């Protein structure tokens, strides 16, 4: 039987907490995953640590300021993944700062410029993202975070005492096997209203079949006027892991996929984004490393 997560003692570091949470999670969470992807939630910890590093810089040097990142990642996260990476720490910090800032700005833009009244945002594979707590554009907006139960429950515990500025709804689901669309509706999502869909660091972990099914479901839920923001891992990028399943050859490749999935969008290369924000020093040339950021409308 599953133990009550809130009855467990709070650990000093998030890596310990995740081990405890995984032990308390129902067996179905593990049974429907291959062994290589069982550690995907650990990437949420890495994301928080990188955001914390950027947020610790002097304000005039910051691309982002995430006051919750350090609290979420803990004092002693496992950084073994970075030690085995071909890229230095400076690359990873800049890579995450750029991704976070671009998505923040794109989210502000799509919420503020669309012809439809957007009052709901869906974050698929939300991880330990703190936007509902820190991004002013989400104040009063209904935000639905969809992720594994143990991840969302850990976030609630770690941010105890911190109230989100968004109207936050946690949708506990395994995107690969659960009927998360039904759970989303149960949480108050309306398919009759335009919405924004945020897929950050998720698409690369899905197989082609899973990705097609995911976008089919999104298409059935996103009303006309909806927006989508997503990240795409590039082929031969040199930072993929055994957990990655889908990779992209170019920005036109990403745009073609979006169009075939019912979205009209534009994809940017990482160097384009880095140039826009004046943070190119540690980003490899496109011939050596690729990653894409896309915004689309329905």
């Amino acid at each position: 039987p599953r133990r009550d997560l809130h009855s467990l003692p709070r650990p000093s570091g998030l890596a310990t907490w995740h081990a405890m949470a995984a032990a308390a999670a129902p067996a179905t969470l593990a049974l429907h995953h291959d062994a290589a992807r069982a550690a995907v939630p650990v990437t949420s910890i890495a994301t928080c640590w990188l955001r914390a590093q950027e947020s610790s810089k002097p304000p005039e040097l910051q691309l982002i300021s995430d006051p919750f990142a350090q609290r979420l990642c803990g004092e002693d996260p496992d950084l073994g993944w970075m030690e085995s990476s071909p890229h230095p720490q400076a690359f990873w910090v800049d890579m995450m700062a750029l991704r976070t800032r671009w998505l923040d700005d794109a989210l502000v833009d799509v919420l503020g410029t669309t012809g439809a009244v957007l009052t709901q945002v869906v974050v698929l594979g939300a991880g330990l993202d703190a936007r509902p707590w820190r991004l002013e554009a989400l104040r009063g907006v209904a935000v639905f975070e969809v992720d594994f139960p143990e991840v969302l429950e850990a976030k609630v515990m770690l941010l105890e005492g911190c109230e989100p500025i968004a109207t936050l709804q946690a949708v506990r689901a395994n995107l690969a096997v659960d009927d998360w669309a039904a759970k989303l509706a149960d949480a108050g999502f309306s398919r009759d209203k335009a919405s924004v869909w945020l897929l950050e660091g998720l698409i690369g972990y899905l197989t082609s079949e899973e990705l097609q099914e995911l976008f089919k479901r999104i298409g059935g839920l996103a009303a006309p006027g909806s927006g989508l923001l997503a990240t795409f891992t590039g082929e031969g990028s040199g930072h993929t892991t055994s957990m990655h399943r889908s990779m992209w050859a170019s920005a036109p490749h990403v745009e073609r996929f979006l169009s075939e999935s019912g979205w009209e969008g534009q994809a940017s290369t990482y160097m384009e984004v880095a140039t826009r924000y004046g943070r190119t020093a540690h980003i490899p040339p496109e011939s050596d490393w690729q990653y894409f950021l896309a915004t689309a409308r329905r």
Side-chain angles (χ1 to χ4, degrees):
R2 185 179 187 183
R3 290 171 285 165
D4 181 1
L5 288 172
H6 297 284
S7 68
L8 297 172
R10 181 171 178 173
S12 58
L14 191 53
T16 306
W17 163 249
H18 266 282
M20 296 168 65
T28 52
L29 291 175
L31 290 176
H32 293 286
H33 283 75
D34 56 83
R37 284 192 287 175
V40 167
V42 175
T43 62
S44 297
I45 303 169
T47 297
C48 282
W49 186 84
L50 293 169
R51 286 174 175 159
Q53 300 312 297
E54 178 69 18
S55 300
S56 68
K57 296 178 180 178
E60 66 272 16
L61 299 179
Q62 295 175 359
L63 279 181
I64 62 164
S65 177
D66 187 342
F68 303 99
Q70 187 66 62
R71 182 167 180 167
L72 285 166
C73 74
E75 299 297 330
D76 59 347
D78 181 2
L79 301 179
W81 59 271
M82 192 166 61
E83 295 172 1
S84 61
S85 166
H87 302 294
Q89 178 177 318
F91 159 82
W92 286 108
V93 173
D94 281 1
M95 182 268 187
M96 189 54 60
L98 286 164
R99 190 176 88 177
T100 303
R101 175 63 181 272
W102 186 90
L103 287 170
D104 283 357
D105 288 350
L107 188 54
V108 170
D109 182 64
V110 73
L111 285 170
T113 63
T114 182
V117 178
L118 286 168
T119 58
Q120 49 185 6
V121 174
V122 181
V123 186
L124 297 181
L128 301 178
D129 177 31
R131 286 188 179 89
W133 284 262
R134 67 170 180 82
L135 194 61
E136 185 61 32
L138 294 177
R139 185 175 294 277
V141 175
V143 176
F144 301 86
E145 292 194 324
V146 186
D147 211 326
F148 297 113
E150 68 271 25
V151 175
L152 296 181
E153 290 170 19
K155 182 155 66 172
V156 168
M157 176 174 282
L158 291 166
L159 293 181
E160 184 178 2
C162 302
E163 291 298 321
I165 59 177
T167 303
L168 185 62
Q169 298 292 334
V171 181
R172 298 167 175 82
N174 180 331
L175 288 170
V177 298
D178 290 338
D179 187 358
W180 57 267
K183 293 188 176 187
L184 195 60
D186 291 342
F189 176 84
S190 173
R191 68 177 65 202
D192 297 324
K193 298 179 181 178
S195 50
V196 181
W197 296 76
L198 178 57
L199 286 69
E200 180 181 11
L202 170 67
I203 288 175
Y205 297 115
L206 303 179
T207 65
S208 176
E209 292 76 14
E210 289 171 338
L211 196 53
Q212 290 177 9
E213 178 60 27
L214 178 69
F215 271 78
K216 180 180 178 180
R217 289 197 186 187
I218 293 175
L221 295 169
S226 294
L228 182 140
L229 307 172
T231 64
F232 295 80
T233 302
E235 290 181 353
S237 62
H239 82 286
T240 56
T241 71
S242 60
M243 296 182 289
H244 284 87
R245 293 295 181 270
S246 64
M247 283 159 279
W248 308 82
S250 63
H253 183 197
V254 171
E255 292 168 356
R256 191 161 55 250
F257 166 77
L258 290 171
S259 179
E260 292 170 353
S261 302
W263 298 85
E264 292 304 317
Q266 180 176 0
S268 299
T269 68
Y270 232 73
M271 185 54 73
E272 289 171 340
V273 173
T275 301
R276 171 182 172 182
Y277 291 109
R279 188 72 75 86
T280 60
H282 301 295
I283 302 301
E286 293 175 16
S287 58
D288 297 335
W289 184 82
Q290 292 192 96
Y291 198 91
F292 308 99
L293 302 169
T295 179
R297 296 288 180 90
R298 191 168 178 82

